[in-house]
Structures are given as C-alpha cells and as structure tokens.
Amino acid sequence: RIYVQRNLYEEFSQKFTAKVKSLVVGYGFDNVTIGPLINKAGLAKVQKHVDDALSHGAKLLAGGKSIDSSGYFYEPTVLGDSTDQMIIASDEVFGPVAPIFQFDTEEEVIDRANAVEVGLASYLYSKDVGRIFRVTEGLEYGMVGVNTGIISSEVAPFGGVKQSGLGREGSKYGLDDYTELKYMALNLP
C-alpha cells in the first residue's frame, strides 16, 4: 500500500507509474528487475486482488494481468484511486502490485496504515523532522524506513509486530530468543 498526500497524488502517480512501466519482467538469469511469483496459487491471489480493486473503482495505471502461461509472471501493476474497501487494503498481496491511496491528514494516514493485522515494515518520506518522529512513533510496525527503501542490515534487528511475528533476528537482539533471563534479589545480612 502506498499512501500519498492528496495534493501530491497526481504528480506522484504519474512519475511512479512511468517508473513501474520501465521494469523488466523475466527469468532471473536474464537482465530483469521483476521475477516470477512463487506458484500458481500466488499468481491467482495477485489476480484476485487486482480484479477486486478494479471492481471497487480502482483505476488501472499499469499492468493488471499475467504475462505468459509458461511461468508465474505478472505484470508490475499500479492501481490508482485505491480505497480501504478493497481486499488489497488489508491483505498482503505478495506480488508486483502497488495500490495508491490518497490521504489528507497525518492522523488519518497513521490510522489507516495501522488498520491491518500485520506489521513487518513501513516506510515514509518527509523533510519535516517533527513529522518523521510523530509518524514513526505512531506506526505499528517492527521496522520503519525513513526516506529510504533499504532498511535491512546485519546490524539491525529484523522483525515485525502483530501477525508479522514475535522477536527479532539479526543484531544483538536476535540472540534474545535463545537466552533465558533470570532475576535475583539478594539481601546480605
């Protein structure tokens, strides 16, 4: 899900869609940017999400269908005018589909972003440091990338909240699940 402030929506949608249309789909041994989905069920799920969004008023800005029958390839897809009534607003698609939602206020977008059962990672882009801290604090996600799409590193704790997991892997916090904490209170006479 991509939430874009209403006054930036048109410009963002046009630029983002142009970039998505330049992605190359194919087998991993070729010079590609998008590979296949994991299996036939994954491909069917992606199509179900796209069909549902379109039936609820989304605008197809790019893609929207599988590419060939010899693999599980799906066109990189952008859905404009997405709404919270669409399945894709609350169910993880695990495919090359980017629904774009409009929002008006900071509080609204935080509430809508949190209105799901999962919470692995979220991202935000802003120049306003106060907004960065308010939104990051308000988001119910295990990881938040600010002004970057690359947030994983061997020194950073990786993990989510809600249905996206308990605990962390990587970093020193990844060892916590393998230890037992013991507290001792001692009073010497």
Side-chain angles (χ1 to χ4, degrees):
R1 297 172 299 154
I2 300 173
Y3 292 98
V4 178
Q5 200 162 6
R6 192 171 306 279
N7 64 328
L8 301 173
Y9 175 80
E10 289 301 326
E11 180 182 0
F12 175 86
S13 295
Q14 290 172 6
K15 289 180 179 180
F16 183 76
T17 299
K19 195 72 167 169
V20 168
K21 286 180 177 181
S22 73
L23 298 175
V24 178
V25 180
Y27 293 97
F29 295 111
D30 301 329
N31 188 20
V32 301
T33 47
I34 301 286
L37 285 109
I38 188 91
N39 57 29
K40 190 174 185 177
L43 188 65
K45 181 179 181 182
V46 169
Q47 191 64 61
K48 175 185 169 189
H49 281 66
V50 171
D51 291 345
D52 174 77
L54 294 174
S55 74
H56 284 89
K59 289 183 183 171
L60 186 61
L61 303 179
K65 62 184 184 304
S66 60
I67 293 178
D68 67 41
S69 60
S70 65
Y72 304 121
F73 298 101
Y74 199 85
E75 293 177 326
T77 300
V78 180
L79 299 170
D81 295 336
S82 299
T83 68
D84 296 340
Q85 290 69 42
M86 300 169 183
I87 295 171
I88 205 163
S90 59
D91 190 29
E92 295 176 306
V93 67
F94 294 111
V97 181
I100 306 175
F101 300 80
Q102 297 180 51
F103 74 93
D104 292 304
T105 68
E106 192 175 294
E107 296 77 17
E108 171 200 353
V109 74
I110 292 169
D111 288 344
R112 290 171 65 196
N114 290 338
V116 292
E117 295 180 359
V118 294
L120 180 60
S122 60
Y123 306 83
L124 71 111
Y125 292 82
S126 179
K127 294 178 182 177
D128 182 330
V129 175
R131 173 168 286 154
I132 289 169
F133 280 94
R134 285 190 309 274
V135 173
T136 299
E137 180 66 27
L139 288 170
E140 297 169 359
Y141 289 81
M143 302 177 291
V144 179
V146 179
N147 296 330
T148 183
I150 301 173
I151 60 174
S152 294
S153 145
E154 73 282 358
V155 297
F158 182 94
V161 298
K162 304 183 205 179
Q163 296 296 316
S164 292
L166 243 41
R168 296 292 179 265
E169 59 185 65
S171 80
K172 67 177 188 173
Y173 302 104
L175 299 175
D176 288 350
D177 290 333
Y178 301 97
T179 62
E180 291 189 29
L181 184 64
K182 182 182 281 188
Y183 166 76
M184 178 180 78
L186 173 65
N187 185 13
L188 296 174

